[in-house]
Every structure is written in C-alpha cells, then in structure tokens.
C-alpha cells in the first residue's frame, strides 16, 4: 500500500520563499541533518544557493541561533549570514557555506592552510569577550 506523507512545513517554506523572492522557479532539497528538530534545505534560485533552516517554533527557538551568529560575525568569525528570517514560523534563510567539508579538501598540499584557518578561527573565538553575550545552554 502506498502512503503519502504531507510535509506542511516544507510547503510553508516554499510559500515563504515565493513571497520573499517572488520566485516561481527554484529548487529545494535536503542539505543536512541536525540532532534536534531543525532541518536544513539547500535552495537554488537563479543559479545562487542558500540554506533554509526549518526550526519548528513549538520545539525550537531561532533567537539563540541568531544571537550567536551575530556575535560571532561581529568578531570576524566566518559564519552563515542571515539573509531573511521569519522567527514566528521558525524559518531562517542563510548564506550557503558550500557542500565541501574540510576533510574532503584535506591533502598534503592543503593541510597547512586549512589547519591554520581552523586554528585562527578557534583563537578568534577564544578572544571574544564572554561577558558581552549570554550564550544559550
């Protein structure tokens, strides 16, 4: 027997994207999984990709993500930029950092530069004033 699952949140995301961009032709596909109720989708509009975070408001609050992303960006830490948000419905539209993990780019020629980038990011995070933001637990 064939069963059909209706994903009303995905339909709501598509409507939000249509209203935000007035785009009729875009593709949306799963981007990655999360260990929470959040889901991520990669959206392609006019050959540009972005990430949609779906955080159902009854289970997830987008405010801590937004707060941490803004805090890290203010301290020159490379994080996704928030392009658009609908916190009431739990949707964030983010810049796409790509599909290539460091591990897949790591080789004898790239190791030094990649590790130095990662260490620099960790040092920058360590230099952030912890009193200037209350991080969510």
């Amino acid at each position: 027997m064939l069963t059909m699952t209706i994903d009303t949140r995905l339909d709501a995301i598509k409507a939000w994207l249509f209203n935000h961009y007035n785009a009729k032709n875009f593709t949306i596909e799963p981007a990655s999984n999360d260990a929470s109720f959040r889901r991520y989708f990669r959206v392609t509009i006019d050959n540009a990709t972005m990430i949609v975070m779906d955080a159902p408001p009854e289970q997830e609050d987008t405010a801590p993500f937004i707060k941490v992303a803004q805090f890290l960006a203010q301290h020159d830490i490379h994080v996704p930029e928030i392009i658009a948000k609908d916190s009431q419905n739990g949707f964030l539209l983010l810049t796409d950092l790509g599909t290539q993990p460091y591990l897949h780019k790591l080789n004898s020629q790239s190791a030094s530069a990649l590790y130095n980038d990662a260490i620099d990011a960790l040092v920058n995070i360590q230099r952030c004033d912890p009193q200037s933001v209350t991080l969510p637990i």
Side-chain angles (χ1 to χ4, degrees), residues 1-6:
M1 181 171 127
L2 180 65
T3 59
M4 190 161 124
T5 304
I6 298 173

Side-chain angles (χ1 to χ4, degrees), residues 106-126:
L106 192 62
N107 59 46
S108 60
Q109 289 79 37
S110 66
S112 181
L114 292 176
Y115 277 115
N116 284 332
D117 284 350
I119 290 167
D120 288 346
L122 290 171
V123 169
N124 286 342
I125 291 169
Q126 291 269 321

Side-chain angles (χ1 to χ4, degrees), residues 11 53 66-68 73 77 83 89 100 122 125 131 136:
D11 290 341
M53 176 197 291
I66 293 167
K67 186 177 187 178
V68 171
I77 310 298
I83 301 166
N89 288 306
Q100 197 68 252
L122 290 171
I125 291 169
Q131 303 301 319

Side-chain angles (χ1 to χ4, degrees), residues 81-96:
E81 177 187 337
I82 299 169
I83 301 166
K85 60 185 172 185
D86 178 352
S87 295
Q88 180 178 347
N89 288 306
F91 303 144
L92 296 178
L93 185 61
L94 311 168
T95 54
D96 187 353

Side-chain angles (χ1 to χ4, degrees), residues 32-65:
S32 67
N33 295 317
D34 197 304
S36 68
F37 291 99
R38 288 185 298 240
R39 300 185 299 174
Y40 299 89
F41 297 95
R42 180 164 281 106
V43 178
T44 305
I45 301 173
D46 297 329
N47 295 321
T49 61
M50 293 161 275
I51 298 295
V52 172
M53 176 197 291
D54 172 21
E58 55 278 352
Q59 284 116 357
E60 297 282 344
D61 181 6
T62 58
F65 181 94

